[in-house]
Amino acid sequence: MKYIKVMISLLIFASPFAQADESSIDKVKNGAIELWEKTKVTTSEITSSASNKASEVSEKASEIGNKVSKDTKETGAVVWDKMKEVGNATADGARKGASKIREYVGDEKCEEDSALCYK
């Protein structure tokens, strides 16, 4: 009987500690659940924000690319026109130079392979 009284006393004495442990476990469990939920929400917000920024950057890059392409096309056209003008001016200059040389040389008989007889 003495052992039974001791066992009952131990159970009564240990019962609050067991309940305290269960309460602590529940608190830790609830804390972990809250932390997980906050982590999921924060991760979702970060992902959304990064996605939005990436979209903005790609739109800006596309706009800049289109502008550069347009500017390059316009610049290329201007350069081509200037090169044609330079080519025409060079050809005219060469013709005038050949004509001047012919004037200085005179109307001597031209040989076929002579550069001075180019007409």
Side-chain angles (χ1 to χ4, degrees):
M1 183 89 165
K2 191 175 181 181
Y3 290 114
I4 294 176
K5 287 181 184 180
V6 170
M7 291 297 277
I8 291 174
S9 297
L10 282 174
L11 286 175
I12 291 172
F13 181 71
S15 178
F17 292 116
Q19 289 175 353
D21 287 343
E22 287 177 15
S23 175
S24 297
I25 291 172
D26 288 340
K27 287 179 184 177
V28 169
K29 181 181 171 185
N30 290 337
I33 290 172
E34 280 183 38
L35 180 63
W36 177 248
E37 290 299 320
K38 287 179 182 179
T39 302
K40 286 193 312 185
V41 168
T42 303
T43 302
S44 176
E45 289 173 355
I46 290 171
T47 303
S48 177
S49 176
S51 175
N52 291 340
K53 286 296 180 187
S55 178
E56 288 175 19
V57 168
S58 67
E59 286 176 18
K60 287 180 182 178
S62 176
E63 290 172 7
I64 291 170
N66 287 335
K67 184 177 179 186
V68 166
S69 174
K70 181 181 175 186
D71 291 348
T72 302
K73 185 177 180 181
E74 291 172 0
T75 302
V78 168
V79 168
W80 179 251
D81 289 342
K82 292 296 179 187
M83 290 300 290
K84 286 193 296 186
E85 289 177 19
V86 168
N88 289 335
T90 303
D92 287 343
R95 282 188 209 104
K96 288 178 183 175
S99 177
K100 289 279 185 185
I101 291 172
R102 271 192 236 116
E103 286 177 17
Y104 290 124
V105 172
D107 289 330
E108 295 178 9
K109 192 174 187 179
C110 291
E111 296 177 19
E112 289 182 25
D113 294 336
S114 173
L116 300 175
C117 291
Y118 176 77
K119 293 180 182 178

